[in-house]
Amino acid sequence: MKIIVNKALLGEAANLLARVINPKNALPILGDVLFDVKNNEVTLTASDSEVTMSTTIGLDTMEGEGRFCVSADQLRASLAELTDEKVTIIATTESDNKFTLQHQSGETYFPIDNADEYPLPKSETLPEPVSLEGIQVRDALKRSLWATATDDLRPIMNGVCFALKDGWLDVVTSDGHVLVKSHINAIKGAKITDEFRFIIPKKAANILSGVLSGDPVKVSWNEHSCRMEFWPYTLDMRLVEGKYPNYDAIIPTDQPLTAIVPRAFALCSLKKVLPFSSDNQGSHLIRLSFTKDRMKMTAEDFDFAKGSHDSFYIDYPHSEIEIGVSGSRLAAILSKLSGGEMQMGMTDPSRAITFEPNEQDEDCEVLMLTMPMLLNE
């Protein structure tokens, strides 16, 4: 079998498919990329048995058809330093099982594995896809992935919840201490009146956050599986089983204390005091003190006799209040939230604090929430 293929397209596909592959696999062949050559095209596939990604590349020349597997690491290494526009691949699957990549100044060769041993997931019938705006889904994932959990006892919290209703999509993550919700007008085509919820695994979400663009992404799913198609890739995944918590019930509906805070000033102030906070299991307690038109951040570590505080002007016309928060979580919120000013919503020192851009986009409403920490008097 001999094919001539565009080196740039092959290299890009090899690098992206490698994101699916685990560093260590129970089955060594899951460290491979599957080649399927037919109809003057080559389809490349990578899988970890839970998430499977594939793409198809047109060929300049094809002599013979067939399927074979090669090491993803060796494939990437063979392409990494090449500047050729085209490369020639020769696969001898009936004699010495050798993959040979020929380029302008030389060639590289390494073994071929049997494609019949590659464990592709069972094909499932999925309903008609829903078309979503790729950029909005990508941005929602980038904004929220940091808030997923790493909890083996509650795997549903490790994934990303997609909820579709009334033509809008909620992308939600939470680890029980923080919550990020993006309510986006991303659905194009037929309006969805029924509500659907499913949970995609974190690995798939990470891949999507790095590759989605202005092109639409077509999403189809059933009870167990989900497929996302975005040119020129297809991502199939096994959904995380279980029911995601009712996140809307966690979000406060009435917060009498609101502050309009310049986000950049808050982030700068936090960076000044955070190094002097107590590293209590990585939480870094920060005391937020709200007085009329001013906010002060205080960090203290009594064990090492160190501390710091910093203040700046805000719009806060309410009674004074002090609330404790995790500095590491607050830093993530301030970094991921967009806009020059944000609105903080509070009730009392024991209830959730919400963060929203002061001016929301009409097609995307963003809310972040963190639970407070106990302050020592």
Side-chain angles (χ1 to χ4, degrees):
M1 184 191 317
K2 177 180 178 180
I3 61 176
I4 298 177
V5 62
N6 183 289
K7 180 267 170 184
L9 294 178
L10 181 61
E12 179 184 346
N15 287 330
L16 185 52
L17 293 175
R19 301 185 191 182
V20 178
I21 297 172
N22 292 329
K24 296 182 179 180
N25 295 288
L27 297 175
I29 200 167
L30 286 177
D32 285 3
V33 172
L34 172 66
F35 280 65
D36 188 356
V37 179
K38 60 184 178 182
N39 301 327
N40 215 41
E41 295 177 329
V42 57
T43 299
L44 307 176
T45 302
S47 177
D48 68 353
S49 76
E50 299 285 334
V51 178
T52 302
M53 192 170 189
S54 62
T55 185
T56 299
I57 302 172
L59 299 175
D60 287 46
T61 299
M62 185 188 81
E63 298 177 11
E65 297 184 347
R67 300 165 72 244
F68 58 88
C69 296
V70 295
S71 162
D73 289 340
Q74 292 175 354
L75 177 63
R76 295 172 67 203
S78 68
L79 295 165
E81 301 302 325
L82 300 185
T83 58
D84 306 50
E85 181 181 352
K86 310 287 183 182
V87 293
T88 299
I89 293 174
I90 300 173
T92 53
T93 57
E94 296 180 357
S95 55
D96 55 357
N97 289 324
K98 185 168 73 172
F99 177 97
T100 303
L101 187 144
Q102 298 177 342
H103 51 90
Q104 188 174 6
S105 58
E107 69 176 31
T108 304
Y109 61 90
F110 43 89
I112 281 175
D113 294 322
N114 187 352
D116 293 337
E117 298 177 2
Y118 198 84
L120 286 172
K122 183 177 69 173
S123 178
E124 293 196 49
T125 301
L126 298 173
E128 286 294 315
V130 173
S131 184
L132 306 178
E133 287 286 346
I135 286 181
Q136 290 185 329
V137 175
R138 178 200 67 191
D139 291 347
L141 291 172
K142 286 185 174 182
R143 188 184 300 121
S144 58
L145 272 167
W146 68 274
T148 54
T150 53
D151 187 349
D152 292 337
L153 298 178
R154 299 186 70 197
I156 57 172
M157 306 303 290
N158 302 342
V160 179
C161 177
F162 277 53
L164 300 93
K165 185 179 181 181
D166 297 332
W168 287 71
L169 167 70
D170 285 351
V171 178
V172 181
T173 58
S174 176
D175 65 358
H177 301 283
V178 293
L179 180 144
V180 180
K181 173 185 173 183
S182 298
H183 183 60
I184 56 180
N185 184 16
I187 302 173
K188 301 301 178 185
K191 188 172 182 179
I192 298 177
T193 54
D194 294 332
E195 183 173 3
F196 298 94
R197 289 193 184 190
F198 54 90
I199 308 168
I200 70 171
K202 187 183 300 185
K203 176 187 281 190
N206 269 310
I207 293 172
L208 291 167
S209 70
V211 299
L212 291 181
S213 63
D215 296 319
V217 52
K218 295 181 179 180
V219 184
S220 52
W221 68 95
N222 59 22
E223 186 178 354
H224 306 290
S225 303
C226 177
R227 174 173 299 148
M228 297 195 180
E229 300 174 82
F230 45 97
W231 190 87
Y233 295 94
T234 299
L235 191 66
D236 288 280
M237 68 201 79
R238 185 178 300 172
L239 295 175
V240 180
E241 295 185 3
K243 185 177 180 181
Y244 205 78
N246 182 7
Y247 51 85
D248 283 327
I250 302 171
I251 300 172
T253 56
D254 181 23
Q255 292 176 298
L257 306 178
T258 58
I260 306 300
V261 179
R263 188 175 62 87
F265 279 74
L267 185 57
C268 180
S269 183
L270 180 61
K271 288 179 178 179
K272 293 176 185 176
V273 305
L274 191 57
F276 302 94
S277 60
S278 174
D279 184 8
N280 182 10
Q281 297 180 340
S283 60
H284 297 281
L285 174 64
I286 302 293
R287 182 188 298 265
L288 304 182
S289 302
F290 294 83
T291 58
K292 186 172 179 60
D293 295 330
R294 202 157 186 87
M295 175 179 175
K296 182 170 76 171
M297 294 188 182
T298 304
E300 294 176 302
D301 188 340
F302 296 108
D303 292 337
F304 292 91
K306 63 180 182 178
S308 178
H309 66 83
D310 191 67
S311 63
F312 52 94
Y313 287 103
I314 62 172
D315 182 0
Y316 180 74
H318 308 289
S319 57
E320 296 185 5
I321 187 174
E322 286 193 338
I323 295 179
V325 297
S326 161
S328 53
R329 297 184 189 116
L330 180 60
I333 290 173
L334 296 176
S335 299
K336 296 296 183 180
L337 209 61
S338 62
E341 291 185 327
M342 64 181 184
Q343 178 173 299
M344 292 181 60
M346 299 162 286
T347 304
D348 59 52
S350 64
R351 300 189 187 181
I353 312 162
T354 59
F355 301 79
E356 302 174 76
N358 195 37
E359 294 184 2
Q360 296 271 22
D361 188 295
E362 62 179 8
D363 285 331
C364 180
E365 299 174 2
V366 178
L367 180 140
M368 300 189 185
L369 174 152
T370 185
M371 299 304 296
M373 296 181 66
L374 181 65
L375 287 173
N376 294 322
E377 298 299 331

